[in-house]
Amino acid sequence: IDFDVRELEYLGVPVQDSTVCALRKESGVTNMDQWFASKTPMKLGGLSPGNSTSDVARIIKTALELPVQVVEGYKGTAEIRLAADAGELNGSCWAWESMKVNWAQGFQSGDVNVVLQVTAKKIPDLPNVPLALDIAKTDEARQLLRAGAIDPAAIVRVYVTTPRTPKDRLEILRRAFMNTLKDPEFVAETKKTNLEINPLNGEEVKKIVDSLFKLNPAMLSKLSNILTTK
């Protein structure tokens, strides 16, 4: 990219993605102990490098030392789900907000199990599914999980405005953005369409962006090696 994203003015995020990893029961893995012990890598579907479906799989493979094989080239999560249901894949990692709707039949039948949460805190729907951050054995592994998966998922749906917007106007826009997300009519409409609201305000988004730009060179190099294909 030929611009500095730190110059943008952040209004906020309407919903943070809460990434989870789900596997078909045919994989033989229904919990993390079984995954760690598996002699066969779990085939996780992805779209391409730079997309969370691919990036999260690569991050957990390295940070948690899990047996994972990333299979890419799918056009979307619906295609990944179909491939898993057909036995082409063992599963995938993507946002629970989307997965619980798109793969609802698999969860209801018990054919699909969420085995890992790659999130900052546990999702209320999944109280018994472990957090990757709790499983990670080192500070470096936890930093990889945050910088490579958790923080990007939190700000992937960000709303921005132009650089050097006067502060008073920026505050008006930020306040309007957050007020919209609390508006009773807006909230009612989101419930009708099964959409989630899990916002971050503009200042919170900026803190995450700034923290990513403060990563040390060694961590940046490691992330680059993990997330780019050779």
Side-chain angles (χ1 to χ4, degrees):
I1 58 175
D2 58 0
F3 60 91
D4 186 342
V5 298
R6 289 170 293 183
E7 293 181 358
L8 297 171
E9 302 288 4
Y10 303 100
L11 303 185
V13 171
V15 59
Q16 305 168 64
D17 280 6
S18 305
T19 308
V20 301
C21 299
L23 299 172
R24 292 277 313 182
K25 67 178 183 181
E26 293 84 356
S27 68
V29 173
T30 60
N31 58 57
M32 289 307 297
D33 288 338
Q34 291 173 342
W35 195 346
F36 279 114
S38 177
K39 303 297 183 185
T40 306
M42 292 295 102
K43 292 182 179 179
L44 301 183
L47 275 64
S48 63
N51 182 274
S52 63
T53 52
S54 294
D55 289 355
V56 171
R58 286 193 169 91
I59 288 291
I60 63 170
K61 177 181 180 178
T62 301
L64 303 181
E65 299 180 6
L66 278 171
V68 169
Q69 178 185 346
V70 183
V71 182
E72 291 174 311
Y74 297 97
K75 296 177 181 177
T77 53
E79 197 171 281
I80 289 174
R81 173 180 57 80
L82 290 171
D85 289 343
E88 186 177 310
L89 298 168
N90 297 124
S92 186
C93 305
W94 78 81
W96 173 242
E97 293 79 9
S98 165
M99 187 185 286
K100 70 179 179 181
V101 176
N102 294 337
W103 223 345
Q105 188 172 350
F107 295 126
Q108 290 165 5
S109 65
D111 290 332
V112 183
N113 296 286
V114 177
V115 296
L116 182 66
Q117 301 187 53
V118 192
T119 53
K121 59 183 180 180
K122 283 197 173 185
I123 300 167
D125 293 343
L126 305 168
N128 299 319
V129 177
L131 285 175
L133 287 172
D134 291 340
I135 296 173
K137 296 177 180 178
T138 66
D139 287 339
E140 181 184 75
R142 285 183 280 274
Q143 191 172 7
L144 284 172
L145 287 165
R146 288 190 180 280
I150 296 171
D151 285 349
I155 61 173
V156 69
R157 305 185 192 280
V158 66
Y159 282 65
V160 303
T161 190
T162 52
R164 294 175 294 282
T165 298
K167 286 187 178 181
D168 58 337
R169 296 183 189 182
L170 177 61
E171 286 308 310
I172 290 170
L173 291 169
R174 283 179 169 178
R175 193 160 52 247
F177 183 85
M178 296 306 293
N179 285 343
T180 297
L181 299 177
K182 299 174 186 174
D183 179 80
E185 289 186 27
F186 181 86
V187 172
E189 286 297 317
T190 62
K191 289 180 178 178
K192 285 181 187 177
T193 52
N194 290 321
L195 291 174
E196 299 276 345
I197 302 175
N198 179 21
L200 284 177
N201 63 41
E203 291 180 355
E204 291 170 321
V205 172
K206 188 176 186 308
K207 285 180 183 177
I208 292 175
V209 174
D210 288 345
S211 72
L212 291 171
F213 276 92
K214 291 175 183 175
L215 292 171
N216 64 55
M219 178 56 62
L220 285 174
S221 178
K222 187 145 194 171
L223 280 168
S224 178
N225 288 333
I226 294 169
L227 298 176
T228 56
T229 55
K230 303 297 183 291

